[in-house]
Amino acid sequence: MLAVGCALVLLLAPVGFFAAVPGALARGHAYASAPACTAGARPDSCTTTVAATVTGTEEKARGRKADYWLRVTERGDDRVRRVHMSGSRLHDAVRAGDRVSLTYWRGEIRTVRFGTTAEDTEASPADDWRLPLGIGLLTLPVGLGVLGAVRWWRRRYASAAHASAWQLSVGPVAGGLLGCLGFVAAQVCPDVRGALLVTALGVPPVAALTALVAWLTRRRERRAVDTSDIVPVPPAGKRCVRAAVLGDVPYSVDGFDHLVVGDGAPAVTPDPDGRVARRPLPPSLTVHEVRAPRPGDTVLGASGGGSYDTVLIECRDGAETVLVALAREDAPVVLGALLSAARAAG
């Protein structure tokens, strides 16, 4: 339910951000089309341009970015105003004493001009649409990906032949890739249509790349599920392999992550050399099958390898199920040791 709730939040969040885009566009259009103020004009429907003199500049680092400020005084007013610029172009171009023009709209400085160069301030509404659109384009694909993963989990994961994290990550990862593309497009494209077009054009390659990765991983998964090539090989001598014996039995002990074979009865031990603290497996332990991990098995990584390199030797000790999790390459000799021990016990 938590995952479903997160997915729904990620799907509802873009609605609010997308809803803010038309208002932001309207403000930007209103400013861009506002005429210069004349006698009797409403102050909120026109712009006022005043002359000012630069008294200095400021730059303040903010992580990998920086904030750029101009300090200016308007003609006939000795007060120093700090103008937060949207970029560094004018900040780098002007010097103390230079004359600039300040454009006011609705009581705030929206644009600064120096000669033929004009740059918006942070108060300019021209790009107000970029952030809500970018966040909307980022969260919508991620939400769809998470919802798809939850749906797959509830319908198919329990019946999957192999437990693997990629099965749940494909949707969110693809959504994240597309969402990042959409967010960047919203910040660099000149208008909303361009950002939406770039995002839409990103769907086919992201889908193709995701499908290719899923297909390659699925093929690897099918190979991992096939354990028919694992045949018992009796150990020719002592070997100590990385393995975990799991089950409600006294010889399943936390930290005993190695198995000694070929030196008497197979035994679990925490010693990588297999010399001390050995706990022999009982003669009553019988091999049931060799298989790949399945959903519900809490043994992934127990052998020290990835889930595709891990196999399980499922055994029975009376009514108890015992799992020996180990690397595929070590399975033949361990299987041979277990079968040899069972035959010796009669």
Side-chain angles (χ1 to χ4, degrees):
M1 292 302 294
L2 178 61
V4 174
C6 292
L8 291 177
V9 168
L10 289 172
L11 288 177
L12 292 175
V15 175
F17 288 109
F18 288 143
V21 172
L25 288 171
R27 289 192 300 273
H29 178 72
Y31 171 60
S33 60
C37 288
T38 58
R42 289 170 40 202
D44 62 346
S45 63
C46 60
T47 62
T48 302
T49 301
V50 300
T53 301
V54 177
T55 62
T57 60
E58 298 178 22
E59 179 179 349
K60 184 177 180 180
R62 181 165 52 89
R64 296 184 177 180
K65 298 183 179 180
D67 290 325
Y68 301 96
W69 303 78
L70 300 184
R71 294 196 305 271
V72 299
T73 57
E74 296 179 14
R75 181 178 300 175
D77 188 347
D78 292 334
R79 291 179 302 171
V80 177
R81 301 177 184 273
R82 297 175 72 245
V83 184
H84 192 185
M85 304 303 297
S86 61
S88 62
R89 184 171 47 176
L90 281 187
H91 173 276
D92 296 339
V94 300
R95 297 293 182 269
D98 287 339
R99 299 293 182 88
V100 295
S101 298
L102 311 179
T103 299
Y104 281 86
W105 183 65
R106 295 182 180 178
E108 294 191 58
I109 301 173
R110 311 288 183 165
T111 304
V112 180
R113 287 181 174 83
F114 175 59
T116 59
T117 303
E119 185 174 13
D120 289 332
T121 70
E122 282 291 326
S124 171
D127 291 332
D128 284 355
W129 58 272
R130 294 187 182 277
L131 186 59
L133 179 65
I135 296 177
L137 292 176
L138 172 65
T139 54
L140 180 60
V142 173
L144 291 173
V146 172
L147 190 62
V150 172
R151 182 174 177 271
W152 191 91
W153 168 276
R154 299 180 67 179
R155 293 193 175 188
R156 300 197 51 191
Y157 187 73
S159 60
H162 189 277
S164 182
W166 79 269
Q167 297 165 326
L168 300 177
S169 64
V170 169
V173 168
L177 290 174
L178 186 60
C180 290
L181 174 63
F183 183 84
V184 172
Q187 309 314 306
V188 300
C189 289
D191 51 33
V192 173
R193 179 178 298 180
L196 295 177
L197 179 60
V198 170
T199 305
L201 292 175
V203 173
V206 169
L209 177 62
T210 304
L212 176 62
V213 172
W215 178 77
L216 291 174
T217 313
R218 179 63 177 172
R219 185 175 67 171
R220 186 181 178 190
E221 176 193 273
R222 286 196 296 266
R223 292 176 179 175
V225 170
D226 183 11
T227 59
S228 60
D229 61 332
I230 299 177
V231 295
V233 177
K238 177 185 173 182
R239 286 189 59 182
C240 188
V241 301
R242 181 79 181 273
V245 177
L246 305 169
D248 189 15
V249 289
Y251 46 90
S252 176
V253 183
D254 288 341
F256 281 58
D257 54 359
H258 286 77
L259 187 66
V260 182
V261 296
D263 186 23
V268 293
T269 176
D271 178 18
D273 295 324
R275 291 193 296 262
V276 299
R278 292 164 57 163
R279 289 197 178 188
L281 304 184
S284 56
L285 189 68
T286 58
V287 175
H288 177 67
E289 66 173 327
V290 181
R291 62 176 177 82
R294 298 169 185 159
D297 292 329
T298 57
V299 299
L300 299 185
S303 66
S307 63
Y308 294 110
D309 299 321
T310 301
V311 296
L312 303 179
I313 302 177
E314 184 173 325
C315 305
R316 299 286 188 272
D317 188 355
E320 294 295 334
T321 298
V322 179
L323 298 177
V324 181
L326 71 169
R328 174 179 286 263
E329 63 179 3
D330 295 325
V333 69
V334 172
L335 179 62
L338 293 174
L339 294 175
S340 297
R343 284 195 297 268

